[in-house]
């Protein structure tokens, strides 16, 4: 005890100096808006880098599973391509016209590759951080997908990082439709199992069955139609009994999500601006 007291007495001035330094730094960043904003920006950048390094390590150990997923996705896309090409060929009767039409449709939809640097599954309002931001052309409300289906919608955008509101968030509502039938509703996650969500407000007159696939409806300016959502595993009724409530096994495995794509549509800004103008006009009219 005497040695401890002697040590503290000997170096008391150093401890006092460090304490005063900490107090001064805290006061500087807390009571000065400019310094505070610099501190927050720097902290966010450092946090983003740490998440990125962590993701790189996890990414290395998941290469085999990702390779298998990509192979399966490539096979699925190739089958869809040839089915669509054959259908267009039957309608157009000209191979060159078919290829030109498909190229034109694809040209209107760009996808920016990004990596997930932070992801949570155990909360009711999960968020995902990706390593792309405004400097890369990412904007708020852009859709995010992966090789197996939808992921979510861009919620906040920084210069080099963005936060995505995924399907696994209680505030997420994504318009979707039953493949081949056209009946639509919206996708909602209720917490708990990250592999299951529910499709709400499906009309009572809709005809479908279990194991059919659900995909994006295209009835929004965020996702184009046809992106996989999941498979129907159970059919139930809504709380008021006026519509169906479908249990969906999500096609996206959020537990091993690493590589994603941000949908950067050429016409996104124009459509979004037009939609906002229409809503403002209706609000003024009321």
């Amino acid at each position: 005890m005497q040695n401890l007291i002697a040590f503290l007495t000997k170096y008391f001035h150093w401890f006092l100096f460090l304490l005063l330094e900490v107090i001064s730094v805290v006061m500087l960043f807390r009571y000065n808006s400019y310094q505070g904003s610099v501190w927050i920006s720097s902290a966010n950048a450092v946090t983003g880098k740490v998440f990125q390094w962590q993701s790189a390590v996890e990414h290395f150990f998941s290469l085999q599973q990702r390779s298998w997923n990509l192979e399966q996705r490539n096979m699925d896309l190739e089958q869809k391509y040839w089915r669509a090409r054959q259908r267009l060929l039957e309608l157009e009767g000209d191979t060159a016209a078919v290829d030109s039409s498909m190229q034109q449709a694809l040209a209107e939809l760009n996808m920016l590759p990004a990596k997930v640097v932070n992801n949570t599954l155990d909360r009711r309002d999960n968020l995902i951080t990706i390593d792309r931001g405004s400097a890369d052309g990412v904007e708020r409300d852009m859709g995010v997908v992966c090789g197996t289906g939808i992921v979510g919608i861009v919620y906040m955008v920084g210069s080099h990082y963005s936060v995505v509101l995924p399907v696994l968030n209680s505030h997420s509502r994504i318009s979707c439709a039953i493949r081949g039938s056209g009946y639509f509703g919206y996708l909602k996650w209720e917490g708990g199992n990250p592999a299951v969500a529910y499709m709400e407000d499906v009309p009572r007159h809709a005809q479908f069955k279990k194991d059919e696939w659900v995909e994006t409806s295209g009835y929004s300016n965020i996702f184009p139609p046809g992106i996989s959502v999941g498979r129907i595993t159970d059919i139930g009724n809504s709380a008021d009994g006026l519509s169906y409530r479908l249990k969906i096994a999500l096609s996206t495995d959020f537990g091993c999500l690493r590589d994603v794509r941000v949908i950067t549509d050429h016409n996104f800004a124009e459509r979004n601006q037009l939609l906002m103008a229409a809503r403002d006009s209706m609000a003024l009219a009321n």
Side-chain angles (χ1 to χ4, degrees), residues 58 93 117:
E58 295 175 353
V117 297

Side-chain angles (χ1 to χ4, degrees), residues 41-214:
S41 299
S42 301
N44 287 340
V46 171
T47 303
K49 282 295 182 182
V50 172
F51 283 147
Q52 189 173 11
W53 293 334
Q54 178 185 356
S55 176
V57 174
E58 295 175 353
H59 170 80
F60 176 79
F61 289 104
S62 64
L63 287 177
Q64 185 176 359
Q65 179 65 32
R66 289 176 56 250
S67 177
W68 184 86
N69 288 338
L70 287 173
E71 184 177 349
Q72 293 296 113
R73 183 59 176 168
N74 285 338
M75 292 174 59
D76 183 49
L77 288 174
E78 188 150 342
Q79 291 174 355
K80 289 180 179 178
Y81 168 81
W82 287 110
R83 284 198 297 267
R85 188 177 188 278
Q86 183 63 32
R87 180 59 179 161
L88 287 173
L89 183 59
E90 293 173 0
L91 296 174
E92 298 286 344
D94 183 4
T95 305
V98 170
D99 291 336
S100 176
S101 298
M102 295 192 71
Q103 290 176 5
Q104 182 177 359
L106 292 174
E108 295 178 355
L109 187 66
N110 284 344
M111 292 192 179
L112 177 70
K115 290 189 179 297
V116 174
V117 297
N118 188 40
N119 183 18
T120 61
L121 301 174
D122 57 349
R123 304 173 186 175
R124 183 164 179 78
D125 294 321
N126 296 289
L127 295 172
I128 294 174
T129 305
I130 60 175
D131 65 346
R132 297 286 189 172
S134 58
D136 306 294
V138 178
E139 299 177 14
R140 181 184 168 94
D141 292 334
M142 284 185 168
V144 181
V145 300
C146 67
T148 55
I150 60 171
V151 174
I153 301 171
V154 176
Y155 179 61
M156 295 181 66
V157 181
S159 297
H160 303 289
Y161 296 93
S162 297
V163 175
V164 177
L165 189 78
V167 171
L168 306 184
N169 189 296
S170 65
H171 298 285
S172 174
R173 300 288 188 278
I174 296 175
S175 177
C176 52
I178 300 172
R179 182 177 294 172
S181 70
Y183 295 110
F184 63 93
Y186 68 90
L187 189 70
K188 178 182 178 182
W189 186 65
E190 296 187 346
N193 191 347
V196 173
Y198 292 88
M199 183 176 175
E200 308 277 359
D201 288 349
V202 180
R204 296 294 297 183
H205 62 273
Q207 297 181 359
F208 56 89
K209 56 186 177 180
K210 289 175 62 176
D211 293 328
E212 290 193 30
W213 282 90
V214 173

Side-chain angles (χ1 to χ4, degrees), residues 262-284:
V262 181
I263 301 175
T264 55
D265 193 338
H266 288 168
N267 300 319
F268 175 84
E270 179 182 350
R271 294 203 314 269
N272 196 41
Q273 184 178 3
L274 183 62
L275 181 61
M276 292 179 65
R279 288 174 177 171
D280 292 341
S281 177
M282 292 175 64
L284 291 174

